[in-house]
Amino acid sequence: LQKLIHLLQATDDPLIQEQALITLSNSAAFSVNQDIIRNLDGLSVIGGMLSNCVPKVKEKALNALNNLSMNIKNQEEIQVFITQVCRTVESAPLNSDVQLAGLRLLTNMSVTSDYHQKMINSIPCLLQLLSKGTERTQIQVLKVLVNLSANPAMTRHLLRAQV
């Protein structure tokens, strides 16, 4: 895991980055690896890949963070990327793999109300995706919106959203 994280930092080759992110994402299926990746500063390295201009690399980074977000301690570190993930969802091509990966991460990060405030500005975009997206996109958006709606503090923001 340490070598993979170092490899991500050391290479500019998108194919290598993509493969390293896939391997880290698969490794994150095991809770012990989730802790190891966090302790090796892997979350910030993977999060840094969100600004990569290659869509496949960005998608794989979102998938890795999604798998890593199953851990509360990891969520505390991943939350710094929520605004960037929201922007990625908004700017990604409609129904793209990048958009869906971002929505899946937002779903996991919105299971508890701890980070809902960071998603407020994206509510209008989520509602637009609900009307314009394919069924797969709509389902992911609904999961995020259901999580947000479970928080009474979000009611006003959900009802006032301009679409």
Side-chain angles (χ1 to χ4, degrees), residues 69-136:
S69 71
M70 300 301 196
N71 177 310
I72 296 295
K73 288 184 179 179
N74 285 354
Q75 281 191 2
E76 292 170 8
E77 289 191 32
I78 292 170
Q79 60 97 14
V80 301
F81 301 110
I82 290 176
T83 304
Q84 186 176 4
V85 172
C86 288
R87 282 195 307 264
T88 298
V89 167
E90 292 174 27
S91 65
L94 184 62
N95 306 314
S96 66
D97 290 336
V98 171
Q99 190 172 63
L100 287 166
L103 288 167
R104 282 191 296 272
L105 176 55
L106 292 178
T107 299
N108 281 350
M109 294 300 292
S110 64
V111 169
T112 66
S113 60
D114 297 345
Y115 311 113
H116 286 182
Q117 290 297 113
K118 294 179 177 264
M119 299 179 201
I120 287 174
N121 292 334
S122 291
I123 292 173
C125 171
L126 294 172
L127 293 171
Q128 272 190 333
L129 290 175
L130 192 57
S131 66
K132 292 182 179 178
T134 61
E135 187 176 317
R136 282 178 53 202

Side-chain angles (χ1 to χ4, degrees):
L1 292 173
Q2 185 175 32
K3 289 185 188 290
L4 282 170
I5 293 166
H6 286 300
L7 181 62
L8 265 182
Q9 292 174 301
T11 187
D12 290 329
D13 184 333
L15 292 175
I16 294 173
Q17 291 171 335
E18 187 180 342
Q19 289 304 308
L21 287 164
I22 289 169
T23 304
L24 285 167
S25 182
N26 291 340
S27 298
F30 304 97
S31 56
V32 67
N33 290 343
Q34 293 172 4
D35 294 331
I36 292 169
I37 292 169
R38 181 185 64 252
N39 293 333
L40 293 170
D41 199 32
L43 297 174
S44 64
V45 173
I46 295 168
M49 295 285 116
L50 295 177
S51 58
N52 195 299
C53 59
V54 178
K56 280 288 183 194
V57 172
K58 193 178 292 195
E59 174 200 347
K60 301 310 181 201
L62 288 163
N63 288 339
L65 289 174
N66 183 47
N67 288 350
L68 289 160
S69 71
M70 300 301 196
N71 177 310
I72 296 295
K73 288 184 179 179
N74 285 354
Q75 281 191 2
E76 292 170 8
E77 289 191 32
I78 292 170
Q79 60 97 14
V80 301
F81 301 110
I82 290 176
T83 304
Q84 186 176 4
V85 172
C86 288
R87 282 195 307 264
T88 298
V89 167
E90 292 174 27
S91 65
L94 184 62
N95 306 314
S96 66
D97 290 336
V98 171
Q99 190 172 63
L100 287 166
L103 288 167
R104 282 191 296 272
L105 176 55
L106 292 178
T107 299
N108 281 350
M109 294 300 292
S110 64
V111 169
T112 66
S113 60
D114 297 345
Y115 311 113
H116 286 182
Q117 290 297 113
K118 294 179 177 264
M119 299 179 201
I120 287 174
N121 292 334
S122 291
I123 292 173
C125 171
L126 294 172
L127 293 171
Q128 272 190 333
L129 290 175
L130 192 57
S131 66
K132 292 182 179 178
T134 61
E135 187 176 317
R136 282 178 53 202
T137 301
Q138 291 172 338
I139 289 169
Q140 279 311 136
V141 169
L142 284 171
K143 288 178 181 182
V144 177
L145 290 173
V146 164
N147 288 345
L148 295 177
S149 69
N151 178 356
M154 296 300 290
T155 304
R156 180 173 44 97
H157 301 289
L158 289 164
L159 295 176
R160 286 190 179 171
Q162 297 295 314
V163 182

